Amino acid sequence: MQYGPAVRRRRLGAELRALRDRAGLTSSQAAAKVGWHQSKVSRIETGRSGVKATDVRLLLDAYEVRDPHLGELLVALAGADDTGASGRHHWWKAYRDLLPAAYRDFISLEAQASWVRTLETSVVPGLLQTPAYARAITRAAVAGLPDEQVDALVEVRLARQDVLRAEPPLRLSVVLDEAVLRRSVGGPQVFAQQLARLREVTRLPQVRLQVLPFSSGEHVGLIGPFVILSFPTIADLDLVVLDHLTSSLYLERKEDLQAYAEAFNSLQEQALSPEESEAFIAGLSDGA
């Protein structure tokens, strides 16, 4: 995975430095509290070296940070593979031997996000897939897997959807190219169930689903699907995720974030309204 670690390290370091300043500690005093050399604190704060999730926890304790959401976010940014992690945001640990590190990292960030914007041009987003649809997609994407591994990957996909039922729930904005709704994944019965699921989620208050019909012609989304993750505590940590067959690309520069945010806004303007989109899906369901 192309992860963009330098930008992420600098942002994480800047937030940790702000928390240290708020606690009224010098870098030397912070280092003494956690049993490190002062140079380690400096390297972390300037982004010159990576930091383990366990080290982030030590610093948060030293700075007496009591905001659990902020703590979880900073730990997630440090990495999704810390063995000491626990709680609802780290349920995927049970699947660590099955899931690639890139996927674990994405799940970790998704679990911390407050708002996800996604354009999909080929398949229904994972957060909205039915079990049967997810199974068909998994078999197509990873051929030759034993049934038990396919079942485990489907379980992961469905467990990710808990963010839509959390308190507060994830805010989700989706633009679906009409091609997604024309591809009969899994056969007629499976796809009919998936269309029904999409109609259900259009009624959730935190979900905005819009269909981009073929009649809209050319659009910026023809470049391919993307996901924008936004976080509740640190606004400038937004990320754009581009998926490829064997890796994911994370974009973190402000220019990239602005370009993709503007692209998503443009796609929403070209797409059908949420009400029109529900009616469009209902029409397809009646003919399925």
Side-chain angles (χ1 to χ4, degrees):
M1 177 182 66
Q2 301 178 51
Y3 188 80
V7 174
R8 189 80 52 80
R9 285 201 306 264
R10 286 196 297 271
R11 291 181 178 178
L12 176 57
E15 185 65 20
L16 289 172
R17 178 172 181 171
L19 292 173
R20 174 175 62 76
D21 289 340
R22 197 176 307 161
L25 298 172
T26 66
S27 58
S28 296
Q29 290 170 332
K33 289 193 71 170
V34 295
W36 298 345
H37 192 280
Q38 184 272 340
S39 62
K40 180 173 180 177
V41 174
S42 295
R43 289 196 304 273
I44 289 173
E45 290 183 351
T46 57
R48 285 180 292 157
S49 66
V51 54
K52 295 180 180 178
T54 48
D55 289 344
V56 171
R57 288 194 182 86
L58 286 175
L59 292 173
L60 293 176
D61 287 342
Y63 304 156
E64 298 183 359
V65 175
R66 300 292 179 250
D67 182 344
H69 299 294
L70 175 59
E72 289 282 1
L73 174 56
L74 296 180
V75 167
L77 292 174
D81 287 333
D82 178 44
T83 55
S86 60
R88 74 176 180 88
H89 289 311
H90 304 282
W91 53 265
W92 60 88
K93 301 299 178 184
Y95 302 93
R96 61 180 299 117
D97 292 336
L98 176 64
L99 304 178
Y103 192 22
R104 295 197 301 270
D105 189 58
F106 176 80
I107 294 172
S108 176
L109 293 169
E110 181 183 69
Q112 304 302 328
S114 59
W115 184 22
V116 170
R117 286 164 282 178
T118 181
L119 164 71
E120 285 293 349
T121 58
S122 299
V123 298
V124 171
L127 292 177
L128 303 180
Q129 292 177 7
T130 65
Y133 185 99
R135 182 167 285 102
I137 289 295
T138 301
R139 288 198 178 279
V142 192
L145 277 184
D147 288 344
E148 59 270 18
Q149 290 191 20
V150 172
D151 291 342
L153 288 172
V154 172
E155 288 176 12
V156 170
R157 184 68 54 87
L158 299 180
R160 282 175 50 201
Q161 298 176 7
D162 285 346
V163 294
L164 297 175
R165 297 181 286 271
E167 188 54 48
L170 175 73
R171 178 185 173 193
L172 179 63
S173 300
V174 180
V175 174
L176 290 183
D177 191 276
E178 183 177 342
V180 175
L181 304 174
R182 297 290 183 182
R183 181 169 290 105
S184 183
V185 172
Q189 183 175 359
V190 168
F191 195 60
Q193 293 171 347
Q194 180 61 70
L195 291 176
R197 168 64 175 156
L198 290 177
R199 292 185 66 189
E200 290 174 6
V201 299
T202 61
R203 302 178 189 123
L204 295 177
Q206 78 277 18
V207 176
R208 180 183 178 90
L209 189 152
Q210 295 177 257
V211 174
L212 193 62
F214 291 148
S215 59
S216 65
E218 67 277 6
H219 54 79
V220 67
L222 294 174
I223 62 174
F226 59 86
V227 178
I228 306 174
L229 300 172
S230 297
F231 301 95
T233 311
I234 311 173
D236 64 354
L237 282 175
D238 287 8
L239 302 168
V240 174
V241 187
L242 308 177
D243 277 336
H244 303 289
L245 182 62
T246 58
S247 65
S248 296
L249 175 66
Y250 284 66
L251 305 179
E252 303 167 287
R253 296 189 311 159
K254 288 184 178 180
E255 309 93 283
D256 294 327
L257 292 169
Q258 181 177 351
Y260 276 89
E262 291 175 353
F264 192 80
N265 291 340
S266 173
L267 291 166
Q268 286 187 309
E269 291 175 1
Q270 284 186 261
L272 302 176
S273 70
E275 296 75 20
E276 292 170 334
S277 297
E278 181 182 1
F280 186 93
I281 296 171
L284 294 177
S285 300
D286 293 340

